[in-house]
Amino acid sequence: GNSVTQMEGPVTLSEEAFLTINCTYTATGYPSLFWYVQYPGEGLQLLLKATKADDKGSNKGFEATYRKETTSFHLEKGSVQVSDSAVYFCALSSGSARQLTFGSGTQLTVLP
Amino acid sequence: DAGVIQSPRHEVTEMGQEVTLRCKPISGHNSLFWYRQTMMRGLELLIYFNNNVPIDDSGMPEDRFSAKMPNASFSTLKIQPSEPRDSAVYFCASRTGGDGYTFGSGTRLTVV
């Protein structure tokens, strides 16, 4: 079946530091890959996505590249801000139903 | 567009009581999903509907859980009787084809 393995948290960084959150996946067929962000007390918001191999998703300074050869979709940001503090979820969808399968989430805290 | 609307935002109930969670999807979205989020198990898909018809309820943990979608603009998730281990945040999401999910803000359920 499908599964997503995400870097364990929590992650604590200083403002303007470089961020990487690792994500690898197992899926049948050709999944789409996503990063969702959850701010305290809120639902999940789509941060970025990629639908095929070598695609790069980007939004708000975050980037992730769909790597089929390593089955990875690592999230990166060159300079984090305090406002980026949240929980980040890697996810995939595949098959005819396109149901989302989530990783366990990574709590990011950015200190001023 | 008000997004996916869930009610109530918070629910505290005593063990053994019936709990009903409500969701109004985005107009025009033909798929609706119920997820449960806990620290131990992360985000789990409970059930999803396509055009108001339940397609996959394999994630529903027990017979105490039931979900309905009587029309395209309303769905309920019911727990009867509730137990302390049902305490979690329950999210509803809707989608119109492809991978365009929109999540509600969730219902935080506490069973004491």
Side-chain angles (χ1 to χ4, degrees):
Chain A
N2 298 336
S3 67
V4 177
T5 301
Q6 213 177 308
M7 174 175 160
E8 292 283 332
V11 174
T12 302
L13 296 173
S14 297
E15 203 164 27
E16 299 184 3
F18 185 85
L19 168 71
T20 299
I21 301 178
N22 289 338
C23 172
T24 58
Y25 67 90
T26 302
T28 55
Y30 302 95
S32 296
L33 302 175
F34 308 84
W35 278 99
Y36 280 83
V37 59
Q38 184 180 28
Y39 298 101
E42 298 184 13
L44 281 75
Q45 302 173 24
L46 178 64
L47 180 59
L48 54 84
K49 71 176 184 181
T51 57
K52 62 182 187 296
D54 299 325
D55 267 3
K56 177 185 283 189
S58 61
N59 185 25
K60 300 180 182 179
F62 290 90
E63 293 183 339
T65 301
Y66 189 142
R67 301 285 188 202
K68 194 169 188 296
E69 63 276 14
T70 55
T71 62
S72 65
F73 193 56
H74 304 321
L75 181 69
E76 297 182 336
K77 186 174 185 181
S79 176
V80 292
Q81 306 300 311
V82 173
S83 58
D84 293 328
S85 298
V87 181
Y88 293 82
F89 291 91
C90 185
L92 67 83
S93 72
S94 71
S96 57
R98 313 304 295 178
Q99 297 160 257
L100 282 173
T101 299
F102 286 94
S104 56
T106 301
Q107 170 77 56
L108 169 67
T109 301
V110 180
L111 303 175
Chain B
D1 187 348
V4 175
I5 299 173
Q6 290 187 246
S7 63
R9 287 297 307 271
H10 303 275
E11 176 81 34
V12 180
T13 191
E14 291 186 346
M15 183 173 62
Q17 296 299 304
E18 177 180 294
V19 175
T20 300
L21 311 181
R22 297 173 177 78
C23 176
K24 177 178 168 52
I26 290 176
S27 176
H29 283 196
N30 60 354
S31 297
L32 183 140
F33 304 78
W34 282 100
Y35 284 87
R36 179 171 68 176
Q37 184 180 36
T38 61
M39 290 293 291
M40 291 297 295
R41 301 172 71 92
L43 276 157
E44 305 171 276
L45 177 64
L46 300 178
I47 184 171
Y48 82 93
F49 296 83
N50 199 41
N51 294 320
N52 312 339
V53 176
I55 303 300
D56 183 357
D57 65 354
S58 59
M60 297 284 263
E62 300 171 36
D63 290 345
R64 299 183 295 105
F65 286 70
S66 62
K68 294 182 180 179
M69 192 166 186
N71 57 61
S73 59
F74 184 65
S75 177
T76 59
L77 177 67
K78 186 176 292 186
I79 308 172
Q80 166 63 19
S82 58
E83 297 183 4
R85 59 195 168 114
D86 302 330
S87 297
V89 181
Y90 291 81
F91 288 104
C92 176
S94 68
R95 184 190 74 185
T96 176
D99 296 313
Y101 286 78
T102 302
F103 282 79
S105 298
T107 295
R108 181 175 295 278
L109 173 65
T110 303
V111 183
V112 296

